[in-house]
Amino acid sequence: MKLSFMAQAFNGLGHYDRAFDAFGRGLSIDPKNIDILNERSKAFIVKEDYPSAEKDINAILGMNPDNAVALYQQGLIKVIRGDIASAKASLEKSAAGAEKQLNYVDQVKLYALLSEVSLRLNNIEDTKRWVRRLEVRAQRAPIAVYYSARQL
């Protein structure tokens, strides 16, 4: 959908008002468009509007409980709020679908966050497991590591 791409472009350029307008127009045409809801929830997270992001995330998970993007964002918000144990559950569920649903950069970010969360919970075995996944993903897509490191 063209409105979705336009909204993503505005969002990437930091023109949030225009991005949210385009997201809104896209959702008025197709209110159950998971891609637009995912992109809008990412924009809400960037603006630190977590309640609005959670509303979109919950709508997505109501339609598709295994949506890796929404589960990652849900886990990220929980980490930001300090709910580490609950965040781990969301992030691990996201990881189950990551290879099919997330691009390389998002997979690298997911595995890096899972490594950090596991370390914060003093779970060394899980930390090692996620670091190994991170290393494998990074070997397959070295450029993803560069961009991910810049965005973390």
Side-chain angles (χ1 to χ4, degrees):
M1 169 179 270
K2 290 180 184 178
L3 284 172
S4 177
F5 293 126
M6 186 170 59
Q8 289 176 39
F10 285 138
N11 192 41
L13 294 169
H15 299 290
Y16 300 113
D17 291 337
R18 295 174 88 181
F20 285 114
D21 181 55
F23 287 135
R25 284 188 283 150
L27 289 169
S28 71
I29 295 167
D30 184 4
K32 293 183 179 184
N33 187 311
I34 288 177
D35 293 330
I36 295 175
L37 287 167
N38 265 325
E39 291 301 321
R40 187 170 74 172
S41 65
K42 288 178 190 178
F44 281 132
I45 291 170
V46 169
K47 287 194 65 159
E48 299 180 8
D49 183 353
Y50 305 123
S52 296
E54 287 174 315
K55 184 178 175 185
D56 284 351
I57 291 166
N58 290 335
I60 294 163
L61 295 176
M63 292 181 276
N64 179 359
D66 297 321
N67 186 282
V69 176
L71 288 163
Y72 170 76
Q73 293 177 103
Q74 183 182 62
L76 179 61
I77 291 171
K78 290 176 181 181
V79 168
I80 291 166
R81 290 186 170 153
D83 187 1
I84 304 302
S86 181
K88 187 171 187 258
S90 295
L91 295 168
E92 285 182 336
K93 192 170 179 184
S94 175
E99 302 237 349
K100 291 182 181 177
Q101 297 179 43
L102 300 179
N103 63 42
Y104 282 133
V105 172
D106 288 341
Q107 288 177 43
V108 168
K109 288 194 267 186
L110 170 63
Y111 299 145
L113 189 56
L114 269 163
S115 300
E116 179 185 339
V117 164
S118 297
L119 188 60
R120 283 190 193 179
L121 294 171
N122 294 318
N123 189 328
I124 301 306
E125 290 307 310
D126 274 356
T127 302
K128 289 178 184 177
R129 176 170 55 114
W130 295 117
V131 167
R132 281 192 298 274
R133 277 222 183 145
L134 177 60
E135 289 171 343
V136 168
R137 184 52 57 210
Q139 289 172 358
R140 292 183 185 167
I143 195 76
V145 174
Y146 170 75
Y147 285 113
S148 179
R150 288 184 58 201
Q151 295 177 8
L152 286 178

